[in-house]
Every structure is written in structure tokens, then in C-alpha cells.
């Protein structure tokens, strides 16, 4: 039996922090704030929280329970659960294979900006986009920082589950939380920040629409590591005596808490900087790498805050990239019988080659598009908007109607009574499929 399958987390807190580290990443610190601003602030936050404790809870319980029940990677797990659904494991494994390379490209951008602020050059980045455009348009520098970021990820994964992922998560996650609280508290002392906070936390029901629900659902996939194979992998390392339901609640609390704090950091800060202009929050790279450097430049002690912020983002990106790489390594070990280190080196080589496509997409191949999208944007779209909802819908069908929810219920109840069993069954069998079908139908009806 390969090394990965003999590995396990040494404690429940180790599992929770590692899984929370997977969930807490760029989706929380970057994507969540601009989606919240774009879709009505408080009403988006309310919808997201409701979906997190229902849909997110149900899918997270499902994937962790099935991972622990089978003790296999996502490919082996689906095949063992139902031979005719073996293909779904392969489709699930495609998600980290697509996301991990471009995620490391963005992680490299974060390291570059951290370097800028550490060397006292943060003001140079506050030029309304020129610095960022020049950086990503130059192939050499982004490739170097990509290599460093992916190398750091590989170093942790090579150390294994208990000595690498668990130990690193126990150190990084508390630091990440403390930094989040510090920056959020500091931002609220700025003139005009309270107006941004009110916009962020006060629901405006007149701005509610199905677009709000769909945007929140899409964010949920990205933020909570759903339908990526990650939770199957981490679940397969979970001890049998640990309580799944309690662990999932703690993971949700940590993940949603950091997302909430990210909004408290960014939305009030940008409101204060822009005089209440919601559009200043922007989307995509513009928020983190263009708008925020300008915000920091306008602050007292802005360079210090910039350092602390990009340390926070780098830690969050690293904990998520570790889980993505571990999922790929787990699959490779299981399918080929490779040991951990050769498997890590293989995943590194393949992923680095794929990541170079995204780097080239902003430099040498900047004129090349796929369906009107640059290479990195296309990878992001196909994984988050197509493959992950398909995997989630098929998983709901498999568990809700073919295997039966008892398959999951029995694994969850191994240690204690499954308190949310009725909610779980309702979401998996009815609510989740309906919402997922709405996501698929949204482009047809412009909702």
C-alpha cells in the first residue's frame, strides 16, 4: 500500500486546520470582497451565509464522509462507491489539475508584491495599473515567482500529511486569523470606513435577485474547496474516531469567518479611499494588484500595512495550493504506486509546464484567447463554472438517489448521532440539485 494511504492526520484539530487552510485562500481574500460589493454588499453576505450552512455543509459532509469511508483518492472513491460512477472521479481530478497551475501563477504575483512592499517600494505599485501590466507582461519575472511559490508548496507536500501538511497548517492558520483581525481593525479607524462597513453588513433586500444567489453559490465552490477532490483526499486521512459533523462546522466557521474579515478589510478601505464608489472595488486582478496598492499608498503606515496584507494573502494562497497539490499527489500515488517524493516531483513538473501557459497568456501570447478569454481566465471559467457544478450535481444524484443518503449518514454517525441528518437529506436530494440546475440555466435566461 502506498505511503499516502497509510498517512493520516494526527488529531481532529490538525484535520480541521488543514481542511480550513484548503478552503481559506484567494477565494476568500480576493474574490469574496469584490463579489460582495458587486452584488449588493449585505444581501450577498446574507445569501452566502445561508448557502454555507445548508448547501456548503451538505456537500462538505458528503465528500469528507465518502473519502473517509473508502480511504481512497477521489478517483478510487467514486469507483468503489459505484462502478458506473468511476468516470466522475476522473472528472473531479481534472479540477485540481486545471486550478493548481494557474493558482500558483497568481501565488507568484502575490510573492512579487510582498517583495515590493518588504523592500519599501510599495509606492511604485500605486500607479493605477502600469506597474502590474508591466510585471505580468514580462515572462521572466512571473515565471521566477511562480517557480518559488510552487516550490514552497511542493516542499510542504513532500514532507507528508502529518509532518508536512498538518504541522504547517497548525502554524499558518492561527497566524492568518490574527493578521486578518489586525488589518480589519486597523482599516475601520480610517475616515469614511464605517460607511463601507455599513454597506457591507446591512442587507438591502431591493438588490436581491437570482444573480445574487448564483454568484454566492459560485463563490461557495471556490471558497469551500467543494467538488475539487480535495475533501475526499483529506477525508481519507481523517481518523475514524473523529466527529465529521463537528469538524465540518468548525471548518465552515473558520472559512466563513476569514471571508467575512476579508470583506471588512477591503470594502471599508476602498470605500474610504474612493469616497464610497462601489465600482472602485473592481473585479479580477485589478482589486488586489492595482486598487489596493493605491489604497495602501493613501494610508498612514501604508507600506507596513501592505507588507502585513500580502503576508496574509501569501499564507492563504499557500495553504490552498498545498491541498490542491496533495490531491494530485494522492491520485498519482494510488494509480501508479509511486512513492510520495517521486509523485511530488512529477506533479511539480507537469503543473509548472501547464502554469507557463498562463504566464505566456499575459506576455508572449497576450493576443491569444479561447472563447474570448485569456488562457488563465479560461482555465478559471472551465473549472469553476462548468466542471465543478457538474461534479456537484452528479454527486448529489449518486448519494441522494442511487446509493442513498444512508451511505453518508452511517459514516457521519460512526462517532455520535448525526444531528443535522434531516437538513442534510433535504439539501442533497432536493435543494442542491435545484440550485445547481439554476446555475446551468442562468446563461439561457440571463439570471
Amino acid at each position: 500500500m502506498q505511503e499516502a494511504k497509510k498517512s493520516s492526520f494526527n488529531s481532529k484539530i490538525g484535520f480541521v486546520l488543514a481542511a480550513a487552510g484548503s478552503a481559506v485562500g484567494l477565494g476568500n481574500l480576493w474574490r469574496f470582497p469584490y463579489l460582495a460589493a458587486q452584488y449588493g454588499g449585505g444581501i450577498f453576505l446574507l445569501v452566502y451565509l445561508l448557502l454555507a450552512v445548508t448547501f456548503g455543509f451538505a456537500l462538505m459532509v458528503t465528500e469528507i464522509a465518502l473519502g473517509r469511508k473508502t480511504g481512497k483518492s477521489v478517483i478510487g472513491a467514486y469507483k468503489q462507491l459505484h462502478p458506473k460512477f468511476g468516470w466522475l472521479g476522473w472528472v473531479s481530478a481534472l479540477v485540481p489539475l486545471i486550478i493548481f497551475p494557474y493558482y500558483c501563477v497568481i501565488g507568484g504575483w502575490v510573492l512579487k508584491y510582498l517583495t515590493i512592499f518588504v523592500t519599501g517600494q510599495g509606492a511604485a505599485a500605486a500607479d493605477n495599473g502600469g506597474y502590474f501590466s508591466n510585471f505580468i507582461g514580462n515572462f521572466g519575472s512571473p515565471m521566477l515567482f511562480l517557480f518559488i511559490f510552487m516550490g514552497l508548496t511542493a516542499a510542504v507536500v513532500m514532507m507528508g500529511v502529518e509532518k508536512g501538511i498538518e504541522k504547517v497548517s497548525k502554524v499558518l492558520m492561527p497566524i492568518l486569523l490574527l493578521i486578518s483581525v489586525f488589518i480589519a481593525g486597523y482599516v475601520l479607524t480610517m475616515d469614511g470606513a464605517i460607511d463601507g462597513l455599513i454597506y457591507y453588513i446591512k442587507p438591502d433586500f431591493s438588490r436581491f435577485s437570482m444573480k445574487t444567489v448564483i454568484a454566492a453559490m459560485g463563490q461557495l465552490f471556490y471558497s469551500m474547496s467543494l467538488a475539487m477532490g480535495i475533501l475526499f483526499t483529506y477525508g481519507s486521512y481523517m481518523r475514524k474516531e473523529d466527529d465529521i459533523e463537528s469538524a465540518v462546522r468548525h471548518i465552515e466557521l473558520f472559512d466563513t469567518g476569514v471571508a467575512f474579515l476579508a470583506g471588512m478589510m477591503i470594502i471599508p478601505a476602498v470605500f474610504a479611499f474612493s469616497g464610497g464608489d462601489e465600482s472602485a472595488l473592481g473585479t479580477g486582478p485589478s482589486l488586489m494588484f492595482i486598487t489596493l496598492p493605491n489604497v495602501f499608498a493613501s494610508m498612514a503606515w501604508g507600506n507596513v500595512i501592505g507588507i502585513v496584507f500580502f503576508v496574509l494573502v501569501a499564507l492563504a494562497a499557500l495553504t490552498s495550493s498545498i491541498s490542491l497539490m496533495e490531491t494530485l499527489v494522492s491520485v498519482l500515488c494510488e494509480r501508479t504506486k509511486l512513492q510520495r517524493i517521486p509523485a511530488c516531483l512529477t506533479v511539480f513538473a507537469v503543473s509548472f509546464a501547464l502554469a507557463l501557459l498562463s504566464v505566456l497568456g499575459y506576455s508572449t501570447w497576450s493576443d491569444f484567447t479561447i472563447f474570448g478569454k485569456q488562457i488563465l481566465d479560461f482555465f478559471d471559467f472551465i473549472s469553476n463554472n462548468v466542471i465543478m457544478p457538474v461534479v456537484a450535481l452528479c454527486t448529489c444524484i449518486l448519494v441522494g438517489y442511487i446509493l442513498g443518503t444512508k451511505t453518508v449518514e452511517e459514516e457521519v454517525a460512526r462517532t455520535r448521532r448525526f444531528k443535522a441528518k434531516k437538513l442534510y437529506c433535504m439539501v442533497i436530494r432536493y435543494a442542491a440539485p435545484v440550485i445547481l440546475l439554476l446555475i446551468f440555466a442562468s446563461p439561457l435566461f440571463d439570471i
Side-chain angles (χ1 to χ4, degrees), residues 30 43 90-91 116 118 138 198 251 276 279 291 325 336 348 385:
W30 175 12
I43 191 62
W90 289 97
V91 175
I116 293 169
V118 166
N138 178 4
I198 292 171
I251 295 165
S279 65
T291 304
M325 187 174 191
T336 66
F348 180 94
N385 295 70

Side-chain angles (χ1 to χ4, degrees), residues 344-417:
C344 284
L345 293 174
T346 301
V347 170
F348 180 94
V350 172
S351 299
F352 188 76
L354 291 173
L356 290 180
L357 296 176
S358 294
V359 175
L360 287 166
Y362 286 103
S363 54
T364 308
W365 296 349
S366 59
D367 293 332
F368 177 75
T369 60
I370 306 174
F371 299 116
K373 299 180 182 293
Q374 289 185 298
I375 296 172
L376 189 152
D377 294 329
F378 173 75
F379 287 152
D380 181 68
F381 172 80
I382 200 71
S383 57
N384 286 279
N385 295 70
V386 180
I387 301 178
M388 288 159 66
V390 167
V391 170
L393 179 60
C394 292
T395 300
C396 289
I397 293 170
L398 174 63
V399 174
Y401 296 97
I402 298 175
L403 297 176
T405 55
K406 283 189 177 181
T407 305
V408 170
E409 292 167 22
E410 289 172 356
E411 186 64 31
V412 176
R414 178 186 287 271
T415 53
R416 65 177 64 183
R417 184 173 66 88

Side-chain angles (χ1 to χ4, degrees), residues 63-74:
E63 295 189 17
I64 292 173
L66 295 180
R68 190 172 77 173
K69 183 181 183 68
T70 60
K72 296 182 181 294
S73 74
V74 66

Side-chain angles (χ1 to χ4, degrees), residues 198-244:
I198 292 171
Y199 170 80
Y200 176 51
I201 64 175
K202 183 179 179 181
D204 180 357
F205 289 93
S206 68
R207 299 193 62 172
F208 174 80
S209 69
M210 280 309 302
K211 289 184 178 180
T212 310
V213 177
I214 292 167
M217 179 64 78
Q219 172 61 20
L220 202 68
F221 279 110
Y222 202 94
S223 180
M224 298 182 71
S225 298
L226 303 175
M228 300 184 185
I230 292 172
L231 296 175
F232 274 90
T233 303
Y234 279 13
S236 72
Y237 301 148
M238 188 182 190
R239 300 183 307 176
K240 293 292 187 180
E241 64 265 30
D242 290 334
D243 181 4
I244 290 177

Side-chain angles (χ1 to χ4, degrees), residues 182-198 262-276 291-303 305-306 309:
F182 168 75
I183 298 178
Y186 179 84
V187 163
L188 293 180
T189 65
M190 299 172 60
D191 291 337
I194 297 301
D195 291 335
L197 177 64
I198 292 171
M264 282 185 65
M265 284 184 262
I266 293 173
I267 293 178
V270 175
F271 259 65
F273 170 74
S274 65
T291 304
L292 287 178
N294 281 281
V295 173
F296 297 145
S298 70
M299 289 181 176
W301 301 94
N303 202 78
I305 297 300
F309 176 79

